[in-house]
Amino acid sequence: MAEQPHDPAQLDPVLVVIPTYNERDNLGVIVTRLHAALPRAHALVVDDGSPDGTGDLADEMAAADERVHVLHRTEKAGLGAAYLAGFTWALERDYAVIVEMDADGSHAPEDLPRMLDALADADLVLGSRYVPGGKTVNWPLRRQLLSRGGNVYSKLALGAKVNDITGGYRAFRRAVLEKLKLGNVASQGYCFQVDLAWRTIEAGFTVVEVPITFTEREIGVSKMSGNIVREALWRVTKWGLRRRGNQVKALLRIK
């Protein structure tokens, strides 16, 4: 499929979607850093009914700053569902760029201007830990091995020419999310990130990677679980087998 044309002028306004669950101690800091790096950016906090009062803090921040918005959800339904709700909210408004960013500080807002600069020649920019200049800080060896292994496996299974397809720091042009069938996305966690990037590649959009520094959270508890890892392994394997099957069918038709 031919590459989509890019219009560098259509990169404003920007909405940063920040899912939260028990991130009260981190939320204020990350939004402050975001607005220091990008004063005009808007933030949408998608809170899954945090019992620690994160949603209440988000409401207070929104009341004090018109650049902050809040979407309350009644239960913890997973990262993928939170992002999809945020994307739907953004597409109902006039945002030209929609960004995924964690609330825990692992995604440095200071990296975002470079990512948006790269979006001038792309449709999706992935903040990448695994390209020259990218790195991780204070990450346990187990998490490093899990992340690198997941990326290598996804790359081989899907034939995707990206190095960090599982990363959750990324910027989409509006047109990408408008074209993807978001209602069919059911994956969560790492798998959600693979799913969205792979759908974007299959749809013929241009995907580029920009190096970032990923820093392990200092406050709170990681949401990573064994179920998330198992889901990713199962779904990526299924997608990879489907891709291989389609390649075989195409070769048979040629013959």
Side-chain angles (χ1 to χ4, degrees), residues 41-113:
H42 284 206
L44 173 65
V45 180
V46 184
D47 187 64
D48 276 7
S50 298
D52 74 343
T54 301
D56 294 334
L57 173 60
D59 285 336
E60 294 172 9
M61 294 168 59
D65 189 337
E66 64 182 7
R67 298 170 296 178
V68 179
H69 312 276
V70 188
L71 180 60
H72 291 281
R73 289 155 48 81
T74 57
E75 60 182 359
K76 186 180 180 184
L79 181 70
Y83 271 128
L84 291 174
F87 294 164
T88 299
W89 190 94
L91 294 177
E92 290 171 351
R93 292 158 178 84
D94 65 348
Y95 293 103
V97 175
I98 298 94
V99 176
E100 295 184 21
M101 179 186 287
D102 284 352
D104 60 13
S106 58
H107 298 151
E110 296 78 13
D111 286 334
L112 188 53

Side-chain angles (χ1 to χ4, degrees), residues 147-182:
S147 175
R148 287 188 177 275
N151 274 290
V152 170
Y153 182 74
S154 297
K155 189 173 185 178
L156 292 174
L158 301 176
K161 296 179 180 179
V162 294
N163 296 293
D164 196 354
I165 200 170
T166 68
Y169 196 8
R170 46 184 63 180
F172 293 89
R173 281 181 177 263
R174 178 188 185 92
V176 176
L177 297 179
E178 287 178 328
K179 184 169 182 178
L180 300 185
K181 296 179 180 179
L182 298 178

